[in-house]
Amino acid sequence: QVQLVESGGGLEHTGGSRILSCAASGFAFNVYDMSWYRRPPGKERELVATISRTDKGPATTVYADSVKGRFTVSRDDAKRMVYLQMNNLQVDDTAVYYCHARLFSLQHWGQGTQVTVSS
């Protein structure tokens, strides 16, 4: 059974930091590109960051412009974990954050974790 379980959400003040974690199980983790998406209140879900599969070489990362320089995505294949380090959090970062796994047309989603940033 495929599972992606996020954790680490909560309430943070502007300028603060938080790390989100995603525990993966039930699929061949290292061949999947892993991403973090978020859905801000009243808005559509958007891509935050992606870290590529590692079975063909070192992972590469891609970030949304809005989080570049503040967020860092990483993965630990041995632990089957994906992380999102979020620094200098802003009110606009308030959203439900989702862990996502993709291998071509195969996709898996976590249930999401709420991050709220207050000024």
Side-chain angles (χ1 to χ4, degrees):
Q1 179 182 359
V2 173
Q3 277 195 315
L4 294 172
V5 180
E6 302 97 334
S7 61
L11 177 64
E12 193 60 66
H13 293 293
T14 53
S17 297
R18 186 164 286 269
I19 184 165
L20 302 182
S21 301
C22 172
S25 60
F27 62 98
F29 183 71
N30 68 320
V31 303
Y32 277 70
D33 294 329
M34 300 299 299
S35 298
W36 287 94
Y37 284 75
R38 67 185 181 187
R39 187 190 299 274
K43 298 182 180 180
E44 295 186 355
R45 188 162 51 192
E46 61 187 20
L47 178 63
V48 175
T50 297
I51 185 164
S52 66
R53 60 194 289 181
T54 56
D55 61 311
K56 297 185 176 182
T60 58
T61 56
V62 177
Y63 296 92
D65 287 344
S66 59
V67 307
K68 279 181 183 176
R70 300 189 298 122
F71 290 12
T72 301
V73 61
S74 61
R75 64 190 296 162
D76 185 333
D77 287 356
K79 296 181 179 178
R80 303 174 62 86
M81 297 289 294
V82 183
Y83 305 98
L84 185 67
Q85 174 69 51
M86 304 185 293
N87 297 327
N88 190 21
L89 283 163
Q90 303 298 310
V91 172
D92 287 347
D93 294 320
T94 295
V96 178
Y97 284 74
Y98 298 90
C99 184
H100 176 261
R102 179 192 295 272
L103 174 61
F104 302 116
S105 61
L106 293 174
Q107 297 186 62
H108 308 299
W109 291 93
Q111 81 289 349
T113 185
Q114 175 73 47
V115 174
T116 302
V117 184
S118 65
S119 58

